[in-house]
Amino acid sequence: MTTLFEELQRVRTYDYTEEDVRGFEKLHEEIRALKQQRNAVIVAHNYYRPEILKVADFVGDSLELALMASKVKDADVICFCGVHFMAETAKIVNPSRTVLLPNLAAGCQLADSAPAEDLRARIEELRALHPDLAVVSYVNTTAAVKALSDIICTSANAAKVVQSLPNQTILFVPDRNLARHVAEQVPEKTIIPWEGFCYVHQQITPQEVQRIRAADPEIEVLVHPECRGDVAKLADAVLSTSGMVKYAKERPAKRFLVVTECGLTDRLAMEVPDKTFLKGCKLCTFMKVTTLEDVRDSLQLMRYEIEVPEDIRVPAERALQRMFDVVG
Ligand code: 13P
Ligand code: SF4
């Protein structure tokens, strides 16, 4: 049987020592005991630190985490190892559970690029010009923005969501790269992008990808749709983070270049040890700010509880439910 130390040695983002791993094992024990005591479930995003993924009950992308959170019935507490908008989404879809975000510094720069007041003004302006305008918001938005939206989408279903709408003109919020990707897949609609972007994905250049491809022509290139268009053009597949995990497991190829936040390759290296995953060093500080100690303290002290006022939660839930209806 593989030990935790052996498994974590496959990870490239961190250089764990045996002493680090002994510390993780001790914290895992404490967290498991607290989980029982609090009747909690721990869910984690694919980009989280590997030692947190190893203690989570469920690991996934934004769509999977939102769906998972909506289905939690037996647990009283959802300890959400993701960023703020993800924990908020969990609270929106499952308001009777206590949702904890272990570290309040886990925000999202992309979500912050679309303040609700600015969106409200933009919708008014555009509706005057396009009376059939629909507002489609990426899940990487605040609850207040979701409440102003007709429907939500994630990186796993954005084109499908837009296609499902009868409306011809779509305001797509807040990621301009994902908006462009959707516009390419749904050319019959007019997509008006909000001019936001993710600082992690925006840094990745086509030159980085081309250099690796030139050195290794057989490598398969997986790109997240938050990347720039000139990077997405070079992809063998444009996928959400869990879409990449599934693709890498199913494809016969042995080597992949994983063009997204670098934490995903750590999950892949642990779960698919017979394949090689290359990556650029693009790290989301928001996804990495939470430590295993934070997770322990969160369950011990029941902090930090995420609340969403009902006047925002109800319309936000409606927009999320529409997405769930589209994806089944
Ligand atoms: P996924 O839904 O693909 O996991 O993406 C979430 C995210 O924040 C990417 O930066
Ligand atoms: Fe937000 Fe970008 Fe970090 Fe994803 S990678 S959580 S979009 S800042």
Side-chain angles (χ1 to χ4, degrees):
M1 213 184 83
T2 320
T3 64
L4 182 63
F5 180 67
E6 284 164 345
E7 209 173 343
L8 290 180
Q9 288 307 290
R10 298 190 201 124
V11 162
R12 289 282 158 268
T13 310
Y14 305 95
D15 197 6
Y16 299 116
T17 63
E18 282 189 70
E19 198 186 336
D20 292 332
V21 178
R22 274 196 296 276
F24 297 155
E25 282 170 334
K26 190 172 162 292
L27 282 161
H28 284 176
E29 264 175 51
E30 285 181 55
I31 291 169
R32 288 193 184 106
L34 283 162
K35 227 175 63 169
Q36 264 203 317
Q37 193 186 321
R38 300 292 189 194
N39 190 24
V41 65
I42 301 178
V43 301
H45 187 267
N46 287 320
Y47 293 157
Y48 251 53
R49 291 168 182 266
E51 64 272 24
I52 295 178
L53 301 188
K54 294 309 295 179
V55 80
D57 298 290
F58 184 82
V59 177
D61 66 11
S62 310
L63 177 62
E64 291 171 328
L65 294 174
L67 278 165
M68 168 73 192
S70 72
K71 288 180 185 141
V72 170
K73 284 196 179 67
D74 297 336
D76 298 314
V77 177
I78 304 172
C79 177
F80 210 111
C81 295
V83 290
H84 191 272
F85 75 81
M86 296 178 177
E88 242 181 10
T89 303
K91 186 70 184 177
I92 292 166
V93 296
N94 205 341
S96 60
R97 310 293 108 170
T98 299
V99 177
L100 304 176
L101 182 69
N103 187 326
L104 281 180
C108 169
Q109 162 269 333
L110 175 58
D112 291 346
S113 72
E117 319 79 71
D118 295 3
L119 176 60
R120 190 176 283 109
R122 183 75 175 132
I123 294 173
E124 249 175 57
E125 184 182 86
L126 286 172
R127 282 235 160 97
L129 300 168
H130 312 277
D132 89 320
L133 185 86
V135 181
V136 178
S137 290
Y138 189 30
V139 70
N140 295 43
T141 43
T142 61
V145 164
K146 287 185 178 72
L148 295 174
S149 309
D150 294 295
I151 190 165
I152 306 304
C153 72
T154 73
S155 59
N157 60 23
K160 199 170 171 184
V161 163
V162 169
Q163 256 152 2
S164 76
L165 299 171
N167 313 62
Q168 184 56 35
T169 311
I170 311 292
L171 171 60
F172 193 94
V173 185
D175 188 49
R176 68 181 184 206
N177 292 323
L178 184 58
R180 185 218 63 254
H181 180 64
V182 170
E184 283 165 11
Q185 290 176 290
V186 194
E188 64 278 15
K189 299 206 186 231
T190 305
I191 311 286
I192 303 171
W194 188 269
E195 287 298 330
F197 57 83
C198 158
Y199 84 104
V200 179
H201 290 84
Q202 188 69 19
Q203 294 171 51
I204 303 169
T205 62
Q207 289 75 18
E208 291 174 57
V209 178
Q210 279 157 340
R211 191 169 42 77
I212 294 168
R213 252 254 165 86
D216 188 352
E218 299 293 303
I219 202 160
E220 287 207 28
V221 178
L222 312 183
V223 172
H224 195 277
E226 285 176 24
C227 289
R228 290 162 29 173
D230 50 6
V231 173
K233 247 193 219 123
L234 302 171
D236 290 300
V238 177
L239 297 161
S240 76
T241 56
S242 287
M244 290 181 184
V245 174
K246 189 167 180 285
Y247 186 96
K249 284 180 178 171
E250 288 173 2
R251 292 284 295 176
K254 288 284 179 203
R255 293 186 310 286
F256 296 87
L257 174 60
V258 183
V259 188
T260 187
E261 203 272 343
C262 56
L264 186 69
T265 45
D266 296 333
R267 175 175 169 193
L268 283 163
M270 290 193 290
E271 281 181 31
V272 197
D274 58 322
K275 298 193 180 186
T276 304
F277 300 99
L278 300 189
K279 59 170 183 162
C281 187
K282 302 293 181 290
L283 195 137
C284 172
T285 48
F286 300 103
M287 285 283 186
K288 298 296 193 273
V289 72
T290 306
T291 62
L292 210 43
E293 285 85 352
D294 291 334
V295 179
R296 188 256 332 263
D297 295 348
S298 157
L299 287 167
Q300 200 160 54
L301 305 168
M302 291 297 282
R303 72 183 190 193
Y304 296 94
E305 201 174 333
I306 300 298
E307 301 281 8
V308 180
E310 274 300 281
D311 60 330
I312 288 178
R313 195 196 68 75
V314 172
E317 185 180 28
R318 195 163 46 229
L320 277 157
Q321 190 53 52
R322 283 197 186 123
M323 170 182 77
F324 293 148
D325 294 343
V326 169
V327 296

